[in-house]
Each structure stands twice: as C-alpha cells, then as structure tokens.
C-alpha cells in the first residue's frame, strides 16, 4: 500500500497492530486462571466413531489442573454436564501444578487419572458444557463448546 495521507498511515498501522490486540483476550483468560483449580483440555469427542467400546469411552476425557501453589483434596468435587450427569471425586489429592484426567469409561484409578465408570459417552460432541463444582455446591469453573470447535477444547 502506498501511504498518501496521515489518515491512511493510521489505518495501515491499525491493520498491522490488530493481530497483537486480538491476542490480548486469550492472555487475559489464562491470567484469570492463575492460582486456581480449573478445567483444562477437554477431549469431548472421542477420536474415531462412537462405537461404545471401553477404550473409546476412555478416549473421551476432561483434564482438571491445579494452578495453585498447594495440593488440594478433591473428595466431593463434582464434574457435571448439561444433562446433569455427575462424576463425584473420591479421595484424591492433586498436587500443586498437577493435572488429573477424568476418563469416561471404566478402569483402575491411578495417579493423574480417574475413571468415571460409565457405559456410554457423557460429553456431547455437538455442544455441551462442563462444570467443576466444589463440595459445597459452588461453581468453580465451567467451559462450553459448540460445533465450531474441533473435538477438543482448551479451557485454559
Ligand atoms: Ca463425546
């Protein structure tokens, strides 16, 4: 573009800086989760066709990240979808800076992974909303997706 006026120069500058400005909300969103227990990546659409095998169910999962400086006992914390299906944590201590993955199907709980134990998928592929709820019922975090997302969602 040939710059012929000051106004045009201003427009050109705005165009160049626009991508930087667009990046701001994303950083603000992650900053909001500093020092909190929150939803992380969610693989709501199990890869491949939804045939219902246990391995396919377990390829559907939600990560919860402890971004605080202390370990947190998750006993009584809940994960809930739009339909009302609810997973309630048993005793599990999530360390500072650690992630725990809640898989939909059946399996043996281990460090970093919990199994919901369901016989069918819980997270809708088209649109749904995950909620992380404290034992006293307080909504701690929520994250939703639509068909414009691509099978997984980074909830930060
Ligand atoms: Ca799904």
């Amino acid at each position: 573009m040939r710059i012929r006026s000051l106004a045009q120069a201003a427009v050109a500058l705005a165009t160049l800086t626009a991508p930087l400005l667009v990046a701001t909300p994303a950083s603000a969103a992650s900053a909001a989760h500093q020092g909190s227990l929150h939803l992380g990546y969610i693989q709501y659409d199990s890869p491949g066709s939804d045939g219902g095998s246990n391995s396919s169910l377990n390829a559907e999962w939600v990560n919860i990240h402890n971004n605080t400086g202390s370990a947190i006992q998750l006993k009584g914390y809940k994960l809930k979808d739009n339909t009302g299906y609810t997973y309630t944590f048993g005793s599990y201590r999530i360390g500072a800076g650690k992630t725990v993955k809640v898989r939909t199907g059946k399996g043996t709980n281990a460090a970093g992974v919990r199994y919901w134990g369901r016989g069918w998928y819980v997270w809708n592929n088209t649109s749904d909303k995950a909620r992380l709820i404290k034992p006293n019922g307080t909504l701690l975090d929520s994250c939703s997706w639509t068909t414009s997302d691509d099978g997984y969602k980074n909830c930060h």
Side-chain angles (χ1 to χ4, degrees):
M1 180 200 295
R2 279 181 62 208
I3 309 295
R4 276 173 294 189
S5 70
L6 189 60
Q8 214 174 36
V11 167
L13 186 63
T15 308
L16 287 171
T17 54
L20 299 173
L21 297 173
V22 166
T24 306
S27 334
S30 4
H33 278 130
Q34 291 295 318
S36 70
L37 180 75
H38 63 89
L39 297 162
Y41 274 95
I42 299 181
Q43 180 74 49
Y44 59 84
D45 186 359
S46 176
S49 59
D50 283 1
S53 69
N54 192 52
S55 61
S56 176
L57 293 175
N58 281 332
E60 190 193 67
W61 47 261
V62 170
N63 276 355
I64 294 166
H65 185 59
N66 178 7
N67 205 18
T68 76
S70 316
I72 297 173
Q73 173 53 252
L74 292 181
K75 187 176 171 65
Y77 277 70
K78 292 176 166 67
L79 263 181
K80 197 172 184 179
D81 78 340
N82 264 350
T83 310
Y85 289 121
T86 305
Y87 169 78
T88 305
F89 276 89
S91 183
Y92 184 78
R93 193 169 176 271
I94 183 172
K98 299 293 188 186
T99 298
V100 62
K101 189 183 294 291
V102 179
R103 297 186 184 274
T104 299
K106 299 174 174 70
T108 304
N109 290 333
V113 61
R114 304 278 104 178
Y115 292 88
W116 194 314
R118 287 177 51 84
W120 197 249
Y121 307 91
V122 63
W123 306 110
N124 288 349
N125 297 345
T126 47
S127 68
D128 209 340
K129 184 176 183 179
R131 298 160 183 80
L132 179 61
I133 301 165
K134 292 176 78 168
N136 67 5
T138 303
L139 179 66
L140 196 57
D141 194 14
S142 67
C143 183
S144 56
W145 55 89
T146 65
T147 44
S148 62
D149 293 301
D150 200 22
Y152 68 93
K153 176 90 181 191
N154 181 4
C155 304
H156 298 285

